Amino acid sequence: MKNLKLITLLVFIFGIGTHIRAQAPVDSTTYWKYAKASLDPLKELLAIPNDAHFPEDIERNVQWCEQHFSRKGFTTQRLETPGAPLLLAERASNAPGAKTVLIYLQVDGQPVDPDFWDQEDPYEAILKKKAESGEWEPIDWSLLRADTIDPEWRIFARSTSDSKGAVNMFLTAMDMINDRGETPNFNMKVVMDFEEEMGSPNLPRAVRDYRDTLAADMLIIFDGPRHIANKPTLTFGARGISDITLTVFGPKVPQHSGHYGNWAPNPAVRLSQLISSMKDENERVTIAGFYDGITLSEEVKATLDAVPDRESYINKRLGVAKGTGVAPTYQESLQYPSLNVRGMSSGWVGEEARTIVPATATAEIDIRLVLESDPDRLIQLVRVHIANQGYYVTDREPTARERETHDRICQFTSSTSYLAFRTDFDSEVGRWLDRALTRAFGETPIKQRTSGGSIPISPFVIELGVPAVTVPTVNRDNNQHSPNENIRIGNYVDGIKTIHHILTEEL
């Protein structure tokens, strides 16, 4: 009987072990080998336009993902929404009592304006190297099949970094796992979002509707850039986002500036004054109560100080003399809600400039939310502030009667896409990812309390009750959301290495 118990115990121990690492550690040459083999499929994926405003293009992306995840051993199903579907790919583990990890990937991308790209087609992947002049010059794609590849070379195309690069990194890591006979000791549910750049408008409802289907023990997000030092990074939160559109009105139609320049109210001037009233000379928000509820303890400040930022380097990269006065350090600035004017429009400029008093002036504002922020409260604070500046605030264009009655009129509309989230460093998912990245790179990853950007993760955190951590992989200087988006080859290889180590780390 004792021998039988011993045999049973050994079978159990070694059986569990086969679900973790079936092969010896992987050397860097192997990662480069798999990375090179995956670049043609990446080019194929990038060639499919992925602006979510065009459903027929999104359908092609969904089909591509269905095919390629099926080939890696996943079963797929579409989670239908009023817009583009979410795609769920599942792969079960044979490990007894296996936990379930939900993995979020973004497939859609920002719109493109080819006129501002240094290549004819922003969806055609172009390999480039930096010339002595500092400019990026195209080189032949076939060079990626050479024995030696420069990790500083870059692939330029929309969504290389945000975030089809991460999608293909994941698929390549799965190729390695399948080839090496490795089996993660946890169940995987990969959810793919095809409307992220639109603010994922259908995601919150979909998470509620498919709560049981998406149920998991934790969530990891493969998205975003590493710390500016380009070292392994974990980000334990993200800010949410709300939007406000302001339109200030002048004359019913643009007027001759000679005839009416000293008489007709100029909405561009008034809008500029209105925005200026919201911030001081250091760009801190002056609206009463905007920062209420934000308290940074000494322990939190120590966590922020542990991130190896160099503000002087950040400023040099940005081309500015210094940061604003919202907070003394970059990391601390991310812990507060922001009020950002992301664009203004009034009249005409440049070659189209006209000597007129404009009829309207519009400003687009985004508010980045932190965990302590109530978006409805912050939006209302802004609205009340505008009213206190003497404006009649309405949610539509003013009527003729309203124009005759009110001297200052502001049309105010707002929306909230998603909330902030934050996970403890010492959570189970945090410790697991820390072990995986330390094993991969031989050093503890940089841990950021929150990122500055926003990703649609709070619906998962709130509805499913799971902790979430982001694993960024791409180079920070990738021009995401801008013309000439790119991914550094070295980061692409490191991303595959990162994901492979996570998927083969015991949970």
Side-chain angles (χ1 to χ4, degrees):
M1 180 63 72
K2 288 183 178 180
N3 289 337
L4 179 60
K5 288 182 178 179
L6 178 60
I7 292 171
T8 302
L9 178 61
L10 290 174
V11 168
F12 176 78
I13 292 173
F14 288 105
I16 291 293
T18 61
H19 293 288
I20 310 305
R21 302 185 194 104
Q23 301 290 339
V26 186
D27 60 25
S28 61
T29 303
T30 302
Y31 287 111
W32 276 95
K33 172 188 171 184
Y34 275 89
K36 287 193 288 184
S38 73
L39 290 173
D40 282 344
L42 174 62
K43 187 177 185 180
E44 176 185 273
L45 176 59
L46 293 170
I48 307 173
N50 61 341
D51 182 344
H53 294 93
F54 300 94
E56 64 279 7
D57 289 333
I58 292 301
E59 173 61 24
R60 293 170 59 200
N61 283 274
V62 175
Q63 291 180 8
W64 191 97
C65 291
E66 286 175 326
Q67 294 167 6
H68 285 261
F69 274 84
S70 295
R71 293 172 188 170
K72 313 302 178 188
F74 288 85
T75 59
T76 66
Q77 64 171 309
R78 298 188 183 202
L79 307 183
E80 298 297 341
T81 80
L86 297 172
L87 182 63
L88 181 66
E90 297 183 79
R91 178 163 155 161
S93 171
N94 294 323
K99 294 187 176 181
T100 299
V101 177
L102 184 63
I103 298 165
Y104 175 90
L105 296 173
Q106 173 197 337
V107 188
D108 69 309
Q110 282 276 319
V112 298
D113 186 341
D115 291 342
F116 292 92
W117 283 70
D118 295 331
Q119 59 196 64
E120 184 174 346
D121 182 357
Y123 293 110
E124 180 186 358
I126 305 294
L127 181 66
K128 298 184 181 183
K129 71 175 182 180
K130 184 172 282 189
E132 291 184 3
S133 64
E135 300 295 320
W136 290 99
E137 60 180 22
I139 56 178
D140 195 274
W141 186 266
S142 65
L143 292 172
L144 293 172
R145 301 184 184 91
D147 292 338
T148 302
I149 297 176
D150 188 342
E152 298 300 328
W153 289 350
R154 303 201 180 186
I155 298 172
F156 284 73
R158 173 57 86 219
S159 297
T160 47
S161 280
D162 190 19
S163 193
K164 285 183 174 179
V167 174
N168 216 54
M169 292 174 199
F170 182 88
L171 291 169
T172 306
M174 287 305 306
D175 278 336
M176 295 185 64
I177 284 172
N178 290 338
D179 291 348
R180 289 166 53 82
E182 297 165 324
T183 305
N185 76 325
F186 50 88
N187 305 312
M188 285 186 279
K189 294 182 179 180
V190 183
V191 61
M192 284 161 266
D193 189 349
F194 297 86
E195 294 183 324
E196 196 273 349
E197 298 297 357
M198 295 176 63
S200 300
N202 298 297
L203 183 64
R205 176 180 168 181
V207 175
R208 290 193 298 271
D209 290 346
Y210 298 101
R211 182 186 295 115
D212 293 341
T213 303
L214 295 169
D217 295 289
M218 60 191 67
L219 168 64
I220 56 177
I221 307 105
F222 293 117
D223 193 13
R226 282 174 162 183
H227 180 265
I228 199 168
N230 202 24
K231 291 187 175 183
T233 305
L234 293 174
T235 304
F236 287 76
R239 297 196 287 187
I241 187 168
S242 296
D243 305 293
I244 296 174
T245 300
L246 306 178
T247 299
V248 172
F249 296 87
K252 289 189 294 184
V253 296
Q255 297 295 323
H256 190 291
S257 65
H259 298 323
Y260 295 104
N262 285 342
W263 188 257
N266 189 308
V269 173
R270 289 190 169 182
L271 180 61
S272 298
Q273 293 168 338
L274 180 59
I275 291 173
S276 294
S277 72
M278 299 179 187
K279 288 192 171 187
D280 64 18
E281 65 276 9
N282 292 316
E283 297 195 35
R284 284 185 61 86
V285 177
T286 56
I287 299 172
F290 195 83
Y291 296 126
D292 284 1
I294 314 299
T295 302
L296 303 181
S297 66
E298 292 305 314
E299 181 181 3
V300 169
K301 288 183 178 180
T303 297
L304 301 176
D305 290 341
V307 179
D309 286 335
R310 286 189 294 123
E311 277 74 15
S312 59
Y313 178 70
I314 294 173
N315 293 341
K316 184 176 181 179
R317 288 280 299 274
L318 295 176
V320 299
K322 65 177 184 177
T324 67
V326 175
T329 66
Y330 172 69
Q331 290 298 322
E332 191 170 331
S333 75
L334 301 180
Q335 313 309 311
Y336 294 90
S338 68
L339 184 69
N340 174 63
V341 180
R342 64 190 184 196
M344 299 177 66
S345 175
S346 185
W348 295 266
V349 297
E351 294 181 357
E352 297 180 348
R354 307 171 191 185
T355 50
I356 52 94
V357 177
T360 62
T362 299
E364 292 279 357
I365 293 173
D366 58 61
I367 298 177
R368 298 287 177 166
L369 310 164
V370 297
L371 191 62
E372 295 81 4
S373 299
D374 177 345
D376 294 337
R377 174 179 170 274
L378 293 185
I379 290 170
Q380 182 63 14
L381 287 176
V382 176
R383 187 184 182 101
V384 170
H385 175 84
I386 293 171
N388 289 341
Q389 303 306 302
Y391 280 85
Y392 172 71
V393 183
T394 177
D395 60 1
R396 49 172 172 71
E397 284 197 26
T399 64
R401 177 62 177 165
E402 287 170 330
R403 284 179 176 275
E404 295 169 1
T405 306
H406 302 283
D407 174 42
R408 295 172 184 265
I409 303 175
C410 178
Q411 181 180 346
F412 184 106
T413 59
S414 64
S415 64
T416 296
S417 296
Y418 30 83
L419 304 178
F421 79 92
R422 194 162 62 230
T423 299
D424 290 340
F425 285 10
D426 196 37
S427 59
E428 181 182 24
V429 62
R431 295 193 302 271
W432 172 54
L433 294 173
D434 192 346
R435 292 195 306 271
L437 267 65
T438 300
R439 178 167 64 90
F441 297 98
E443 60 179 317
T444 301
I446 294 170
K447 299 185 186 69
Q448 299 181 134
R449 188 173 187 246
T450 190
S451 69
S454 303
I455 49 179
I457 299 305
S458 60
F460 295 103
V461 175
I462 294 168
E463 293 294 335
L464 303 182
V466 294
V469 178
T470 300
V471 185
T473 55
V474 301
N475 45 296
R476 185 165 286 268
D477 60 341
N478 64 63
N479 294 335
Q480 68 185 89
H481 291 201
S482 300
N484 302 313
E485 182 179 349
N486 65 84
I487 189 168
R488 177 179 172 272
I489 295 292
N491 281 77
Y492 182 76
V493 179
D494 275 356
I496 296 169
K497 182 177 182 179
T498 296
I499 296 173
H500 177 253
H501 277 78
I502 289 172
L503 299 184
T504 56
E505 180 67 30
E506 181 178 358
L507 179 59

